[in-house]
Amino acid sequence: MSDYWTKRALSRMARLELLGDGYAARILRLYEDAFSELDKAMRDLFERYAEQGGLTPAEAIRHLREPVTRKQADALMQAISEIADPDMKRRLLARANSAQYAARLKRLEAMQESVRAECAKVADKEIALHTEAARKIGTESYYRSVFDLQQGTGAAIPFSQVSIERIDAVLSQRWAGEEYSTRVWQNSEVMAQRLGEIVRTNVATGRPWEECVDEMRSYMATPGQGGVYAATRLLRTETMHVANEMSAEANSAMGAKRYRFIAVLDLKTSEVCREHDGLKDPDTGKFYTYANRKSGVNFPPLHPWCRSIEAPYINADTLKGLTRPAKDPVTGKTVSVPATMTYREWHKKYVEGSPEAE
């Protein structure tokens, strides 16, 4: 019987991963669009540098210290005004206005602010995409778990409808120390700082603009550290968190008390997930229970990119509190009977000794 729940859980997660693939592709397009906008903004600020293809270090530094035109300053302010997050918008506007009104907004400062603004706009869109993905995957996980449990037990188990508010609450949990949106902004700040360093270093050393662009693009796509990598890792980890939590809520609400921790059986699986695979917590020696689950500790995900999942542990004690539909042979109506009732037990109760039923 345990094989059934493991297979159903793996099948459910495979389906959810396909949904996640679609959102990961959308994140990739989001960053590609952002890079195109950033490239255009940088070229507008360094038009003479881009046209000439390269300057000496002294010429480049002199160029960086030149003030921007009014048109370029307005373009920067417009980019900042498109940021949805009010706190980030306020901070960037304060910085840009301070330099602009003092008549000292130089090309280097404008470049740095443009990078920050574009990265902030990406973060805004990324948070919206994360939320959409979590709602879709969380809802799917909840109802698939309901379906699997009802089909596996044959029980007519009542369940509640899942709400968007509940999924949003799960998504905003600080299960690994920080809320997911905070991680998005942290990734954005890291990306802005790194891109700013690349542009500043390349321009200051007089390298051709094309080399600067290539280095920026290479960083954005670098496995293990680039902006796309960080965004995709966060998407995968957070949606797995929501999927497992909503599955746990469905299973526990329908009567399951314990769960099995299921690690993927391949060589890429982390040591911590290998240790937790099974019915008992290796740290406490106790059975995993939904009531005592804690994401990142004894419930998946345990770490970024975690692929581990959960499945309900169904035994005779669990089935005692569940019901399944049956027919009353006299009235023809559907009645609820214990999920553990066998055919012989049903026949003895509803048929034997009843002349009308017989």
Short mmCIF file of all heavy atoms in Angstrom, two decimals, residues 304-352:
data_model
loop_
_atom_site.label_atom_id
_atom_site.label_comp_id
_atom_site.label_asym_id
_atom_site.label_seq_id
_atom_site.Cartn_x
_atom_site.Cartn_y
_atom_site.Cartn_z
N PRO A 304 17.79 24.82 -0.90
CA PRO A 304 17.52 25.29 -2.26
C PRO A 304 17.66 24.16 -3.27
O PRO A 304 18.51 23.28 -3.12
CB PRO A 304 18.60 26.37 -2.47
CG PRO A 304 18.91 26.86 -1.11
CD PRO A 304 18.82 25.65 -0.23
N TRP A 305 16.82 24.17 -4.29
CA TRP A 305 16.77 23.14 -5.34
C TRP A 305 16.32 21.78 -4.79
O TRP A 305 16.48 20.77 -5.47
CB TRP A 305 18.11 22.97 -6.04
CG TRP A 305 18.58 24.09 -6.89
CD1 TRP A 305 19.67 24.87 -6.68
CD2 TRP A 305 18.01 24.58 -8.12
NE1 TRP A 305 19.81 25.81 -7.68
CE2 TRP A 305 18.80 25.64 -8.58
CE3 TRP A 305 16.88 24.20 -8.86
CZ2 TRP A 305 18.51 26.35 -9.75
CZ3 TRP A 305 16.60 24.91 -10.02
CH2 TRP A 305 17.42 25.96 -10.46
N CYS A 306 15.80 21.73 -3.60
CA CYS A 306 15.39 20.45 -3.00
C CYS A 306 14.29 19.82 -3.84
O CYS A 306 13.32 20.47 -4.22
CB CYS A 306 14.89 20.68 -1.57
SG CYS A 306 14.49 19.15 -0.69
N ARG A 307 14.43 18.52 -4.13
CA ARG A 307 13.44 17.80 -4.94
C ARG A 307 12.61 16.82 -4.11
O ARG A 307 11.79 16.09 -4.65
CB ARG A 307 14.16 17.03 -6.06
CG ARG A 307 14.95 17.92 -7.02
CD ARG A 307 15.78 17.07 -7.98
NE ARG A 307 16.78 16.30 -7.26
CZ ARG A 307 17.32 15.17 -7.72
NH1 ARG A 307 16.95 14.68 -8.88
NH2 ARG A 307 18.24 14.53 -7.01
N SER A 308 12.85 16.77 -2.81
CA SER A 308 12.15 15.82 -1.95
C SER A 308 10.67 16.21 -1.81
O SER A 308 10.32 17.38 -1.91
CB SER A 308 12.80 15.76 -0.57
OG SER A 308 14.13 15.29 -0.68
N ILE A 309 9.83 15.22 -1.58
CA ILE A 309 8.39 15.43 -1.44
C ILE A 309 7.86 14.62 -0.26
O ILE A 309 8.61 13.88 0.39
CB ILE A 309 7.64 15.02 -2.73
CG1 ILE A 309 7.94 13.55 -3.05
CG2 ILE A 309 8.04 15.91 -3.90
CD1 ILE A 309 7.18 13.03 -4.26
N GLU A 310 6.57 14.77 0.00
CA GLU A 310 5.94 14.01 1.08
C GLU A 310 4.77 13.20 0.52
O GLU A 310 4.25 13.51 -0.55
CB GLU A 310 5.44 14.94 2.17
CG GLU A 310 4.37 15.94 1.74
CD GLU A 310 2.97 15.37 1.73
OE1 GLU A 310 2.65 14.53 2.61
OE2 GLU A 310 2.18 15.76 0.85
N ALA A 311 4.38 12.16 1.26
CA ALA A 311 3.20 11.37 0.90
C ALA A 311 2.54 10.93 2.21
O ALA A 311 3.22 10.67 3.21
CB ALA A 311 3.59 10.15 0.08
N PRO A 312 1.21 10.84 2.25
CA PRO A 312 0.54 10.44 3.48
C PRO A 312 0.84 8.99 3.83
O PRO A 312 0.97 8.14 2.94
CB PRO A 312 -0.94 10.63 3.15
CG PRO A 312 -1.01 10.45 1.66
CD PRO A 312 0.26 11.06 1.14
N TYR A 313 0.97 8.72 5.11
CA TYR A 313 1.13 7.34 5.58
C TYR A 313 -0.25 6.85 6.03
O TYR A 313 -0.80 7.33 7.02
CB TYR A 313 2.12 7.27 6.74
CG TYR A 313 2.26 5.88 7.33
CD1 TYR A 313 2.92 4.88 6.63
CD2 TYR A 313 1.72 5.58 8.57
CE1 TYR A 313 3.05 3.61 7.15
CE2 TYR A 313 1.84 4.31 9.11
CZ TYR A 313 2.50 3.32 8.40
OH TYR A 313 2.60 2.05 8.92
N ILE A 314 -0.80 5.94 5.27
CA ILE A 314 -2.15 5.44 5.54
C ILE A 314 -2.08 4.03 6.10
O ILE A 314 -1.56 3.11 5.45
CB ILE A 314 -3.01 5.43 4.26
CG1 ILE A 314 -3.01 6.82 3.61
CG2 ILE A 314 -4.43 4.98 4.56
CD1 ILE A 314 -3.64 7.89 4.44
N ASN A 315 -2.59 3.83 7.32
CA ASN A 315 -2.66 2.49 7.92
C ASN A 315 -4.07 2.26 8.44
O ASN A 315 -4.98 3.06 8.24
CB ASN A 315 -1.62 2.34 9.03
CG ASN A 315 -1.78 3.41 10.11
OD1 ASN A 315 -2.80 4.12 10.16
ND2 ASN A 315 -0.77 3.54 10.96
N ALA A 316 -4.27 1.14 9.13
CA ALA A 316 -5.60 0.78 9.62
C ALA A 316 -6.16 1.82 10.58
O ALA A 316 -7.35 2.13 10.57
CB ALA A 316 -5.56 -0.59 10.29
N ASP A 317 -5.28 2.38 11.42
CA ASP A 317 -5.75 3.39 12.38
C ASP A 317 -6.27 4.63 11.66
O ASP A 317 -7.28 5.23 12.07
CB ASP A 317 -4.61 3.79 13.33
CG ASP A 317 -4.26 2.66 14.29
OD1 ASP A 317 -5.14 1.81 14.54
OD2 ASP A 317 -3.12 2.64 14.78
N THR A 318 -5.59 5.03 10.60
CA THR A 318 -6.05 6.19 9.83
C THR A 318 -7.38 5.90 9.17
O THR A 318 -8.29 6.74 9.16
CB THR A 318 -5.01 6.56 8.76
OG1 THR A 318 -3.75 6.84 9.40
CG2 THR A 318 -5.45 7.80 7.99
N LEU A 319 -7.49 4.71 8.61
CA LEU A 319 -8.71 4.36 7.88
C LEU A 319 -9.93 4.26 8.78
O LEU A 319 -11.07 4.39 8.32
CB LEU A 319 -8.51 3.02 7.15
CG LEU A 319 -7.56 3.05 5.94
CD1 LEU A 319 -7.35 1.64 5.40
CD2 LEU A 319 -8.10 3.96 4.85
N LYS A 320 -9.72 4.03 10.08
CA LYS A 320 -10.86 3.90 11.00
C LYS A 320 -11.75 5.12 11.01
O LYS A 320 -12.96 5.03 11.18
CB LYS A 320 -10.35 3.62 12.42
CG LYS A 320 -9.84 2.20 12.64
CD LYS A 320 -9.35 2.03 14.06
CE LYS A 320 -8.81 0.61 14.26
NZ LYS A 320 -8.29 0.43 15.64
N GLY A 321 -11.15 6.28 10.86
CA GLY A 321 -11.94 7.51 10.92
C GLY A 321 -12.49 7.94 9.58
O GLY A 321 -13.15 8.97 9.49
N LEU A 322 -12.22 7.19 8.51
CA LEU A 322 -12.67 7.56 7.18
C LEU A 322 -13.89 6.75 6.76
O LEU A 322 -14.16 5.69 7.32
CB LEU A 322 -11.53 7.33 6.16
CG LEU A 322 -10.20 8.00 6.47
CD1 LEU A 322 -9.19 7.69 5.38
CD2 LEU A 322 -10.36 9.50 6.63
N THR A 323 -14.62 7.27 5.80
CA THR A 323 -15.81 6.56 5.31
C THR A 323 -15.71 6.36 3.80
O THR A 323 -14.91 7.02 3.11
CB THR A 323 -17.09 7.36 5.60
OG1 THR A 323 -17.02 8.63 4.92
CG2 THR A 323 -17.26 7.60 7.09
N ARG A 324 -16.51 5.44 3.29
CA ARG A 324 -16.59 5.20 1.86
C ARG A 324 -18.05 5.03 1.49
O ARG A 324 -18.88 4.69 2.34
CB ARG A 324 -15.79 3.95 1.48
CG ARG A 324 -16.28 2.68 2.15
CD ARG A 324 -15.39 1.50 1.90
NE ARG A 324 -15.33 1.13 0.49
CZ ARG A 324 -14.79 -0.03 0.07
NH1 ARG A 324 -14.29 -0.90 0.96
NH2 ARG A 324 -14.77 -0.32 -1.20
N PRO A 325 -18.43 5.30 0.25
CA PRO A 325 -19.84 5.18 -0.15
C PRO A 325 -20.23 3.71 -0.38
O PRO A 325 -19.41 2.89 -0.80
CB PRO A 325 -19.89 5.98 -1.46
CG PRO A 325 -18.51 5.87 -2.02
CD PRO A 325 -17.59 5.84 -0.83
N ALA A 326 -21.47 3.41 -0.07
CA ALA A 326 -22.01 2.06 -0.30
C ALA A 326 -23.50 2.20 -0.60
O ALA A 326 -24.11 3.24 -0.33
CB ALA A 326 -21.79 1.18 0.92
N LYS A 327 -24.08 1.17 -1.16
CA LYS A 327 -25.51 1.17 -1.48
C LYS A 327 -26.31 0.44 -0.42
O LYS A 327 -25.92 -0.63 0.05
CB LYS A 327 -25.75 0.48 -2.83
CG LYS A 327 -25.41 1.31 -4.05
CD LYS A 327 -26.48 2.35 -4.32
CE LYS A 327 -26.22 3.04 -5.66
NZ LYS A 327 -27.26 4.04 -5.97
N ASP A 328 -27.43 1.03 -0.03
CA ASP A 328 -28.39 0.34 0.83
C ASP A 328 -29.27 -0.47 -0.12
O ASP A 328 -30.01 0.10 -0.93
CB ASP A 328 -29.24 1.34 1.61
CG ASP A 328 -30.18 0.66 2.58
OD1 ASP A 328 -30.77 -0.38 2.21
OD2 ASP A 328 -30.35 1.17 3.70
N PRO A 329 -29.21 -1.81 -0.06
CA PRO A 329 -29.94 -2.63 -1.03
C PRO A 329 -31.47 -2.52 -0.93
O PRO A 329 -32.18 -2.86 -1.87
CB PRO A 329 -29.47 -4.05 -0.72
CG PRO A 329 -29.04 -4.00 0.70
CD PRO A 329 -28.47 -2.64 0.90
N VAL A 330 -31.97 -2.05 0.20
CA VAL A 330 -33.42 -1.91 0.36
C VAL A 330 -33.91 -0.60 -0.24
O VAL A 330 -34.86 -0.58 -1.03
CB VAL A 330 -33.81 -1.99 1.86
CG1 VAL A 330 -35.31 -1.75 2.03
CG2 VAL A 330 -33.42 -3.36 2.43
N THR A 331 -33.25 0.51 0.14
CA THR A 331 -33.70 1.82 -0.33
C THR A 331 -33.07 2.22 -1.66
O THR A 331 -33.57 3.09 -2.37
CB THR A 331 -33.37 2.90 0.70
OG1 THR A 331 -31.95 3.01 0.82
CG2 THR A 331 -33.96 2.53 2.07
N GLY A 332 -31.92 1.60 -1.98
CA GLY A 332 -31.21 1.98 -3.20
C GLY A 332 -30.41 3.25 -3.05
O GLY A 332 -29.78 3.72 -4.00
N LYS A 333 -30.43 3.82 -1.87
CA LYS A 333 -29.71 5.08 -1.64
C LYS A 333 -28.25 4.83 -1.26
O LYS A 333 -27.90 3.76 -0.76
CB LYS A 333 -30.40 5.88 -0.54
CG LYS A 333 -31.80 6.37 -0.90
CD LYS A 333 -32.39 7.17 0.23
CE LYS A 333 -33.78 7.70 -0.13
NZ LYS A 333 -34.38 8.49 0.97
N THR A 334 -27.43 5.83 -1.50
CA THR A 334 -26.02 5.75 -1.13
C THR A 334 -25.88 6.10 0.35
O THR A 334 -26.45 7.10 0.82
CB THR A 334 -25.17 6.72 -1.97
OG1 THR A 334 -25.29 6.37 -3.35
CG2 THR A 334 -23.71 6.65 -1.56
N VAL A 335 -25.13 5.27 1.06
CA VAL A 335 -24.89 5.51 2.49
C VAL A 335 -23.38 5.54 2.73
O VAL A 335 -22.60 5.07 1.90
CB VAL A 335 -25.54 4.42 3.36
CG1 VAL A 335 -27.05 4.45 3.24
CG2 VAL A 335 -24.99 3.03 2.99
N SER A 336 -22.98 6.12 3.85
CA SER A 336 -21.57 6.16 4.22
C SER A 336 -21.28 5.04 5.20
O SER A 336 -22.00 4.87 6.20
CB SER A 336 -21.22 7.50 4.85
OG SER A 336 -21.33 8.54 3.89
N VAL A 337 -20.22 4.30 4.93
CA VAL A 337 -19.80 3.21 5.82
C VAL A 337 -18.32 3.41 6.14
O VAL A 337 -17.62 4.15 5.43
CB VAL A 337 -20.02 1.84 5.15
CG1 VAL A 337 -21.50 1.65 4.79
CG2 VAL A 337 -19.14 1.67 3.92
N PRO A 338 -17.80 2.77 7.19
CA PRO A 338 -16.37 2.91 7.50
C PRO A 338 -15.51 2.50 6.30
O PRO A 338 -15.83 1.54 5.59
CB PRO A 338 -16.18 1.95 8.68
CG PRO A 338 -17.53 1.91 9.33
CD PRO A 338 -18.51 1.96 8.20
N ALA A 339 -14.43 3.22 6.08
CA ALA A 339 -13.56 2.92 4.94
C ALA A 339 -12.94 1.54 5.04
O ALA A 339 -12.56 0.94 4.03
CB ALA A 339 -12.46 3.97 4.84
N THR A 340 -12.86 0.98 6.26
CA THR A 340 -12.26 -0.34 6.45
C THR A 340 -13.26 -1.47 6.25
O THR A 340 -12.89 -2.63 6.30
CB THR A 340 -11.67 -0.44 7.87
OG1 THR A 340 -12.70 -0.09 8.82
CG2 THR A 340 -10.50 0.51 8.04
N MET A 341 -14.53 -1.15 6.05
CA MET A 341 -15.56 -2.19 5.90
C MET A 341 -15.30 -3.04 4.66
O MET A 341 -15.09 -2.52 3.57
CB MET A 341 -16.95 -1.57 5.83
CG MET A 341 -18.07 -2.60 5.60
SD MET A 341 -19.72 -1.85 5.56
CE MET A 341 -20.07 -1.73 7.31
N THR A 342 -15.30 -4.35 4.86
CA THR A 342 -15.11 -5.27 3.73
C THR A 342 -16.47 -5.61 3.12
O THR A 342 -17.53 -5.29 3.67
CB THR A 342 -14.45 -6.57 4.20
OG1 THR A 342 -15.34 -7.25 5.12
CG2 THR A 342 -13.12 -6.28 4.89
N TYR A 343 -16.42 -6.29 1.98
CA TYR A 343 -17.67 -6.69 1.33
C TYR A 343 -18.47 -7.64 2.23
O TYR A 343 -19.69 -7.52 2.34
CB TYR A 343 -17.39 -7.37 -0.01
CG TYR A 343 -18.65 -7.78 -0.73
CD1 TYR A 343 -19.34 -6.88 -1.53
CD2 TYR A 343 -19.19 -9.07 -0.55
CE1 TYR A 343 -20.53 -7.25 -2.16
CE2 TYR A 343 -20.36 -9.43 -1.16
CZ TYR A 343 -21.04 -8.53 -1.97
OH TYR A 343 -22.21 -8.89 -2.58
N ARG A 344 -17.78 -8.57 2.85
CA ARG A 344 -18.47 -9.52 3.73
C ARG A 344 -19.17 -8.80 4.87
O ARG A 344 -20.30 -9.13 5.25
CB ARG A 344 -17.48 -10.55 4.29
CG ARG A 344 -16.95 -11.53 3.24
CD ARG A 344 -16.01 -12.56 3.87
NE ARG A 344 -15.49 -13.48 2.88
CZ ARG A 344 -16.16 -14.57 2.45
NH1 ARG A 344 -17.36 -14.84 2.94
NH2 ARG A 344 -15.61 -15.38 1.56
N GLU A 345 -18.48 -7.78 5.44
CA GLU A 345 -19.08 -7.03 6.53
C GLU A 345 -20.28 -6.23 6.04
O GLU A 345 -21.31 -6.13 6.74
CB GLU A 345 -18.04 -6.08 7.14
CG GLU A 345 -16.92 -6.81 7.89
CD GLU A 345 -15.78 -5.91 8.29
OE1 GLU A 345 -15.62 -4.84 7.65
OE2 GLU A 345 -15.04 -6.26 9.22
N TRP A 346 -20.19 -5.67 4.85
CA TRP A 346 -21.33 -4.94 4.28
C TRP A 346 -22.51 -5.88 4.05
O TRP A 346 -23.66 -5.56 4.36
CB TRP A 346 -20.90 -4.30 2.95
CG TRP A 346 -22.06 -3.72 2.18
CD1 TRP A 346 -22.63 -2.51 2.34
CD2 TRP A 346 -22.79 -4.36 1.13
NE1 TRP A 346 -23.67 -2.33 1.47
CE2 TRP A 346 -23.80 -3.47 0.72
CE3 TRP A 346 -22.69 -5.62 0.50
CZ2 TRP A 346 -24.70 -3.78 -0.31
CZ3 TRP A 346 -23.58 -5.93 -0.51
CH2 TRP A 346 -24.57 -5.01 -0.91
N HIS A 347 -22.24 -7.06 3.51
CA HIS A 347 -23.29 -8.03 3.20
C HIS A 347 -23.99 -8.48 4.49
O HIS A 347 -25.23 -8.60 4.54
CB HIS A 347 -22.69 -9.24 2.48
CG HIS A 347 -23.71 -10.11 1.83
ND1 HIS A 347 -24.37 -11.13 2.52
CD2 HIS A 347 -24.21 -10.13 0.57
CE1 HIS A 347 -25.22 -11.74 1.70
NE2 HIS A 347 -25.15 -11.15 0.51
N LYS A 348 -23.19 -8.70 5.52
CA LYS A 348 -23.77 -9.16 6.79
C LYS A 348 -24.67 -8.08 7.40
O LYS A 348 -25.73 -8.41 7.95
CB LYS A 348 -22.65 -9.51 7.76
CG LYS A 348 -23.15 -10.06 9.09
CD LYS A 348 -21.97 -10.49 9.98
CE LYS A 348 -22.47 -11.08 11.29
NZ LYS A 348 -21.33 -11.52 12.15
N LYS A 349 -24.28 -6.81 7.28
CA LYS A 349 -25.04 -5.74 7.90
C LYS A 349 -26.28 -5.35 7.10
O LYS A 349 -27.34 -5.10 7.67
CB LYS A 349 -24.15 -4.50 8.08
CG LYS A 349 -24.87 -3.31 8.70
CD LYS A 349 -23.93 -2.14 8.99
CE LYS A 349 -24.69 -0.98 9.63
NZ LYS A 349 -23.80 0.15 9.96
N TYR A 350 -26.18 -5.29 5.78
CA TYR A 350 -27.26 -4.74 4.97
C TYR A 350 -28.11 -5.79 4.24
O TYR A 350 -29.19 -5.47 3.75
CB TYR A 350 -26.70 -3.76 3.93
CG TYR A 350 -26.22 -2.46 4.54
CD1 TYR A 350 -24.88 -2.28 4.88
CD2 TYR A 350 -27.11 -1.42 4.80
CE1 TYR A 350 -24.44 -1.08 5.44
CE2 TYR A 350 -26.69 -0.22 5.36
CZ TYR A 350 -25.36 -0.06 5.69
OH TYR A 350 -24.94 1.12 6.25
N VAL A 351 -27.60 -7.03 4.18
CA VAL A 351 -28.33 -8.03 3.40
C VAL A 351 -28.80 -9.20 4.25
O VAL A 351 -30.00 -9.54 4.26
CB VAL A 351 -27.45 -8.55 2.23
CG1 VAL A 351 -28.23 -9.59 1.42
CG2 VAL A 351 -27.03 -7.39 1.34
N GLU A 352 -27.89 -9.82 4.97
CA GLU A 352 -28.24 -11.01 5.75
C GLU A 352 -29.29 -10.70 6.82
O GLU A 352 -29.17 -9.70 7.53
CB GLU A 352 -26.99 -11.62 6.39
CG GLU A 352 -26.00 -12.16 5.38
CD GLU A 352 -24.74 -12.67 6.05
OE1 GLU A 352 -24.74 -12.89 7.27
OE2 GLU A 352 -23.72 -12.81 5.34
#
